Amino acid sequence: MFGSKKSRAEDETSASQPVHDDLSEEADARRDAEAKKGRPTPKRSHQESARRQPLVNKDRKVANRQAKEQQRQERDRARIGMMNGEEKYLTRRDKGPQRRYIRDYIDARFSIGEIFIPAAILILVIAFTQPVQIQQYFTYAVWGLIALIVLDGFVLNYILKNRLRNKFGEVERGITFYAVMRSIQLRPLRMPKPQVKRRQYPE
């Protein structure tokens, strides 16, 4: 009886021995492969989950680049719209039908103030290159030009207020300063850009 039990245990031990040997050989082979690569071999489930993960960093960079490009296009569009006098892109200073009317009227006429900046540059050059006697004559000319600009400003203010009352029924505050400042600027440098030709007065 005892002999049969002992022989049965020996048979079970000998049968399980090849299985353990196979497992140990497989583990040794896996360790050898990991040692050659310098890192452990990831499991298949980990590899599949890594492939399914979105490329967040790459997508974020693309989104940021697209957002910057869109902002740049919007800024360019706003700048062009402001230069062309489009109402929604204008600043508070330039918005409104009365301000547009003033711009069109001033851009259609010739204002004495338009020659003030070129005259000032000419006087500055003469002050450093010509004798004192000639400088005095140009000084008188500058004072005369300033007087004409002031007189032209009064005339412009009177005409514009009458036109604005007839067209809109009332006159907004601050239009005198707005009109005079635009009238003394060189026509190509005015912002928003002139939308009418010379003598093309608004109705």
Side-chain angles (χ1 to χ4, degrees), residues 11-12 60 98 132 159 172:
D11 293 340
E12 292 177 355
R60 187 176 300 167
Q98 292 197 23
V132 178
I159 295 174
E172 295 179 357

Side-chain angles (χ1 to χ4, degrees), residues 44-53:
R44 180 177 297 177
S45 59
H46 292 170
Q47 293 177 351
E48 293 177 354
S49 62
R51 284 195 296 267
R52 287 195 297 267
Q53 289 179 355

Side-chain angles (χ1 to χ4, degrees), residues 65-182:
R65 185 163 58 250
Q66 292 176 350
K68 290 181 180 179
E69 178 65 20
Q70 184 177 0
Q71 291 176 358
R72 185 188 65 80
Q73 292 178 358
E74 291 177 355
R75 287 195 299 268
D76 292 342
R77 177 65 183 131
R79 179 177 57 83
I80 295 173
M82 188 271 293
M83 293 173 61
N84 294 332
E86 297 183 25
E87 188 70 19
K88 66 178 180 179
Y89 295 114
L90 295 178
T91 61
R92 181 185 298 180
R93 181 197 65 179
D94 299 315
K95 281 186 176 181
Q98 292 197 23
R99 303 297 174 108
R100 178 179 294 275
Y101 187 92
I102 291 171
R103 291 196 301 271
D104 291 344
Y105 183 84
I106 293 174
D107 295 337
R109 76 191 290 265
F110 172 77
S111 301
I112 299 177
E114 294 182 38
I115 64 175
F116 176 74
I117 295 178
I121 296 175
L122 179 62
I123 296 301
L124 186 62
V125 172
I126 291 174
F128 288 99
T129 58
Q130 299 298 323
V132 178
Q133 294 82 0
I134 298 178
Q135 292 180 17
Q136 291 179 351
Y137 291 113
F138 276 92
T139 301
Y140 298 147
V142 169
W143 283 110
L145 178 61
I146 292 175
L148 290 176
I149 292 173
V150 172
L151 179 61
D152 185 60
F154 279 110
V155 174
L156 177 63
N157 181 54
Y158 177 79
I159 295 174
L160 276 176
K161 283 187 175 180
N162 287 335
R163 282 176 167 263
L164 292 173
R165 287 194 188 97
N166 294 333
K167 186 174 181 63
F168 300 102
E170 61 180 1
V171 179
E172 295 179 357
R173 296 180 58 183
I175 62 100
T176 300
F177 180 78
Y178 183 76
V180 171
M181 291 304 297
R182 188 170 180 87

